[in-house]
Amino acid sequence: MISVESGEQFHLKNDSFSYICGVVDRRFLAHLYWGAPVREIDPRGLPRPATASYLTRIPLSMEGAGVSGSGDRGEGYPEAGGDRGGRAPLSADALAAPEAPQPPAVSLDLLPQEYPAWGTGEQREGAFAVVYADGSEASRLEYREFEVIPDAAEPEFLGLLRQEHELGRVETLRIRLADPRGDISVDLYYLIAERAPVLIRWARFINTSEAALTLIDPASASVDLPVGPWEVLTLGGAWSRERHILRTPLAFGGYSVGSRGGATGHQSAPFLALCDPAADEEHGRVYAVLLAYSGSFEARCEVDQFEVPRLSIGLQRYRGHLEAGECFETPVALLVSSRSGFGGMSDDLHRFLREGVIPKRWREAPPKVVINSWEAMYFQVSHDRTLSLARGGRDIGAELLVLDDGWFSRRRDDRSSLGDWWPNEERFPLGLAGLADALREEGMEFGFWMEPEMVSPESDLCREHPEWVLQIPGREPTLARSQLILDLTREEVREYLIDTVSTLLRDSGASYLKWDMNRNMSEAGSLNLSRERQGEVMHRYILGLYEILRRLTEAFPGVLIEGCAGGGGRMDYGLLRYCPRFWASDQTDAIERLEINYGTTLLFPPEVIGSHVSTVPNHQVRRITDAETRVLTSLPFSFGFELDPAQESEEERLRYLEGARRFRELRQRFSSCRFRRLLGPLSPESRGRRLSGEPAGEVAWMLDGGDEVFIFYYRPLTRSNVRPRRLRIPGLTAGAIYQEQETGIRYDGALLGQVGIVVEPGPGDYRSTFVTLIRTGADRP
Ligand code: DGJ
């Protein structure tokens, strides 16, 4: 998988891709190729712009150049207020006159790089910045050595792969770069697995100087790609509109998305893709970077003067203090390149997450049908009401009740009690344990909601431990949802949370925990850390969170932790290791959810995406949709209910029961099916929508299990006098015969790929339909 040619060209290769970088002039680590597997690369054959004398130039040999590349700092800079009389720090012969004949040189302005350092000949954005003890901010990274590690060498709290992954053999390449002045070295890590279509990258900084320095916003990966034309695709939105598809051409300049609030956020997923302007679900090149991290991040693309795009992803708002000899490891990034559009990209990511990241236990035990109390009761929860909700849930096919917000201390609304995690005695006289027992007697499993990272100013915990809150002395704390954030950089806070959550889990015997987080950070300071370390607070917080979740999941392997952050405000691969299921959005309207689920499946397989049937009129948008469409919108995902069955009609309850029954029958198969989006914003058909007069906003997807294919079609708005909707079903076996279960019609796999099936969900708006194709075994001779 990793081969090294003459110690200078590094080729990472498996059946899915080749990724090649090489050392130029024995000094600079250049990016050479990323894409379909190739046998080899001769760098002389790669297109590159002509050099010109007005670009930055580094003579091929430093000898005699007189530039300090040897660690010699001369006299350094004057102290504040000092003056050295304008003495030139560089010797004159280092500066070639413009008209002089140019000696052979490397121009960092032109070199496609693996991990660019800004300020010493590179004018594009660097992959990091360092402020050195002398106040300077320019770095140079040069190649030093490499090592092939026959294993995964991921960072302890930030690694991604589960121990018992199914990706085959794994190797890690470490390439050491160092600043010739001797201040820092940077180890670049590249992890490749035999059967993973994804490359994992991260970086480790070492302060090799004798003084402390400041490291700013290190990227986990950076890569310079071939010239476009390109478009940028990201997933973004806001609360209740998460992960909508945003796409824009990028000809010159920069485009970035990210978050600065200590969580990945509702606004942007930690992901950015470059794609051919014509790329769709099935066609075109896509290069994507993702960050397996749950805090502030930036994903960026900068197109330079020669139209070369630089793609990078990493930390944002990180200002780390590194003492002499101290190290810092970035989170890990995932790089995926597809030659079959966004469908190919999602396919690669889903496969990788299923086989390498999501705990095996949860893959083998797909999600239970949940009934959650939030939209049924909001804060008005009690033992009796919860019990009757559970009974109603059981009668429509739910298996597990999740008691949401409102069960603890004096919590009656969102203004108090976070941190005081004991059941309200009046409303839950038997405690959570008593409630859980009563539910089990009714044949229901029990789960409950917590927001462990948070504290209400109006709480005993906050009064007892004001120092446990993230804060900046002298600054008024900004509230959001009337709450503050606990300082997870503090060991005693982590221990307190582990202890509190463990006690509740143990006492109640719960098998499910909904872990919510409802605000981003402000005044992100810590009384626990020194002045120099305040810029590390948001990152250290996330490391603290991972430690808590790691210890809890180790201690309670049978408890499923559902990730939630005001819906999908922190849905990322960093948490996926601990949370095999996410509440993807507080938006429960079936039609609004189509767009959210569509975007979410770009990155996540469907079983990870919690999508519940709620009542009508919908609580977020007041829309009224029929029960069939609400059920079918949730069915391919992690199915459940967000309603009070007692308030629903008999007809609706029957439809819900039928949906739950179907989900329970199919869920095991669903979680090993290949998920494919058939119709929606990125499908080839969408481009001609206006001309063909087809209805707007249609969505379709399928779960392809080889012998069984499950197809879902949704039509938000109808149109008059249009031709019947045909749905092409790509990727089936040509020559194999598939029979439509509902009608008995038989199709050849080739015909399904070219012509498709007709789907007709009936008259009116907000309609949907479900089709099952069964492979008959009657293949063409
Ligand atoms: C936000 C979550 O997304 C909701 O599902 C619910 O749990 C509320 N918080 C409770 O406060």
Side-chain angles (χ1 to χ4, degrees), residues 418 453-457 462 469-470 477-480 482-486 519 523:
L418 293 171
E453 300 158 64
M454 298 292 149
V455 63
S456 308
C462 199
V469 173
L470 286 181
T478 309
L479 294 178
S482 308
Q483 61 200 49
L484 297 168
I485 306 183
L486 288 175
R519 65 157 295 181
E523 297 82 32

Side-chain angles (χ1 to χ4, degrees), residues 380-417:
Q380 312 311 315
V381 287
S382 69
H383 179 97
D384 292 344
R385 294 195 75 195
T386 309
L387 197 55
S388 55
L389 181 70
R391 288 190 185 116
R394 181 199 55 203
D395 294 345
I396 56 169
E399 299 160 288
L400 190 148
L401 176 131
V402 177
L403 174 61
D404 210 286
D405 202 348
W407 56 267
F408 49 96
S409 183
R410 290 175 290 279
R411 184 87 162 168
R412 280 282 182 197
D413 52 36
D414 64 10
R415 281 174 297 183
S416 83
S417 304

Side-chain angles (χ1 to χ4, degrees), residues 268-336:
S268 302
F271 153 80
L272 188 144
L274 270 193
C275 62
D276 287 329
D280 57 37
E281 291 285 16
E282 293 169 47
H283 315 95
R285 286 177 304 165
V286 178
Y287 288 103
V289 288
L290 300 102
L291 198 64
Y293 185 64
S294 312
S296 301
F297 74 95
E298 185 180 28
R300 189 171 61 216
C301 182
E302 180 184 352
V303 176
D304 74 8
Q305 55 190 328
F306 302 109
E307 292 165 63
V308 172
R310 168 167 293 172
L311 203 53
S312 73
I313 195 159
L315 295 179
Q316 176 159 223
R317 289 270 153 196
Y318 177 81
R319 218 162 224 279
H321 178 77
L322 285 187
E323 286 292 339
E326 204 177 338
C327 301
F328 176 78
E329 241 162 341
T330 69
V332 305
L334 284 75
L335 282 74
V336 58

Side-chain angles (χ1 to χ4, degrees), residues 574-763:
L575 280 176
L576 187 60
R577 295 169 294 167
Y578 309 110
C579 306
R581 173 190 169 133
F582 286 96
W583 182 230
S585 177
D586 276 347
Q587 180 56 262
T588 60
D589 172 65
I591 302 305
E592 287 284 313
R593 251 311 172 105
L594 289 177
E595 202 169 344
I596 295 168
N597 288 355
Y598 188 98
T600 307
T601 63
L602 250 71
L603 309 186
F604 292 93
E607 65 275 13
V608 167
I609 303 168
S611 186
H612 292 175
V613 178
S614 63
T615 195
V616 288
N618 171 267
H619 290 190
Q620 288 79 42
V621 293
R622 310 303 299 167
R623 185 179 282 124
I624 297 177
T625 50
D626 62 27
E628 174 74 0
T629 289
R630 282 178 281 141
V631 165
L632 287 185
T633 302
S634 299
L635 194 59
F637 302 100
S638 200
F639 186 83
F641 298 105
E642 200 82 18
L643 47 76
D644 181 357
Q647 306 297 319
E648 304 293 290
S649 71
E650 182 60 24
E651 199 190 325
E652 283 173 315
R653 279 200 297 269
L654 282 174
R655 186 61 196 93
Y656 301 154
L657 176 61
E658 165 57 18
R661 196 195 52 71
R662 189 166 253 169
F663 177 76
R664 288 164 69 163
E665 178 195 321
L666 296 176
R667 62 185 162 196
Q668 184 75 53
R669 277 173 276 168
F670 278 179
S671 60
S672 55
C673 280
R674 177 175 175 197
F675 184 89
R676 262 189 113 121
R677 292 173 300 274
L678 299 176
L679 207 54
L682 296 175
S683 60
E685 282 83 352
S686 299
R687 294 179 172 264
R689 190 198 296 141
R690 282 180 177 278
L691 288 178
S692 65
E694 277 160 5
E698 290 170 291
V699 168
W701 33 62
M702 75 177 188
L703 288 144
D704 179 0
D707 291 343
E708 289 170 305
V709 181
F710 309 98
I711 297 156
F712 297 81
Y713 168 72
Y714 313 89
R715 190 190 61 207
L717 294 181
T718 190
R719 278 230 164 136
S720 99
N721 193 24
V722 291
R723 61 177 167 76
R725 166 43 94 190
R726 270 191 182 273
L727 210 53
R728 276 190 324 105
I729 317 293
L732 302 189
T733 309
I737 300 299
Y738 297 82
Q739 185 163 33
E740 194 177 317
Q741 208 177 34
E742 292 76 8
T743 60
I745 303 174
R746 293 156 66 88
Y747 304 90
D748 189 301
L751 180 135
L752 288 169
Q754 285 179 42
V755 182
I757 58 172
V758 172
V759 278
E760 180 35 74

Side-chain angles (χ1 to χ4, degrees), residues 374 379 404-405 411 449 481 514 516 518 564 566-567 583 586 642:
W374 183 239
F379 290 100
D404 210 286
D405 202 348
R411 184 87 162 168
W449 175 99
R481 214 188 186 216
K514 179 173 173 184
D516 203 353
N518 281 300
C564 175
W583 182 230
D586 276 347
E642 200 82 18

Side-chain angles (χ1 to χ4, degrees), residues 96-247:
E99 65 277 13
Q102 298 293 318
V106 175
S107 172
L108 294 180
D109 281 339
L110 292 174
L111 194 72
Q113 292 178 66
E114 279 295 291
Y115 203 74
W118 175 85
T120 58
E122 170 59 274
Q123 299 177 68
R124 296 169 287 182
E125 187 64 280
F128 65 97
V130 168
V131 184
Y132 295 99
D134 64 1
S136 69
E137 295 191 19
S139 299
R140 158 86 50 90
L141 289 182
E142 295 187 1
Y143 172 73
R144 288 291 178 267
E145 59 172 31
F146 77 94
E147 177 191 9
V148 176
I149 305 161
D151 211 338
E154 290 185 292
E156 192 185 356
F157 282 108
L158 295 162
L160 187 62
L161 293 186
R162 62 169 190 245
Q163 278 198 335
E164 68 315 1
H165 65 78
E166 300 144 56
L167 301 168
R169 207 156 49 81
V170 173
E171 283 178 0
T172 310
L173 170 66
R174 180 180 65 83
I175 300 180
R176 170 155 298 185
L177 309 177
D179 192 311
R181 204 175 73 154
D183 294 285
I184 53 166
S185 41
V186 183
D187 285 338
L188 300 183
Y189 287 88
Y190 300 77
L191 187 155
I192 183 169
E194 214 173 358
R195 288 198 298 277
V198 166
L199 176 70
I200 298 182
R201 281 187 59 177
W202 70 97
R204 182 165 188 268
F205 285 75
I206 307 147
N207 179 356
T208 46
S209 75
E210 273 154 27
L213 52 79
T214 305
L215 173 64
I216 300 170
D217 291 348
S220 299
S222 172
V223 58
D224 291 350
L225 291 170
V227 167
W230 293 110
E231 289 191 355
V232 175
L233 185 137
T234 56
L235 294 169
W239 173 82
S240 84
R241 284 191 283 110
E242 298 91 338
R243 289 172 298 283
H244 285 199
I245 285 168
L246 309 166
R247 188 168 175 169

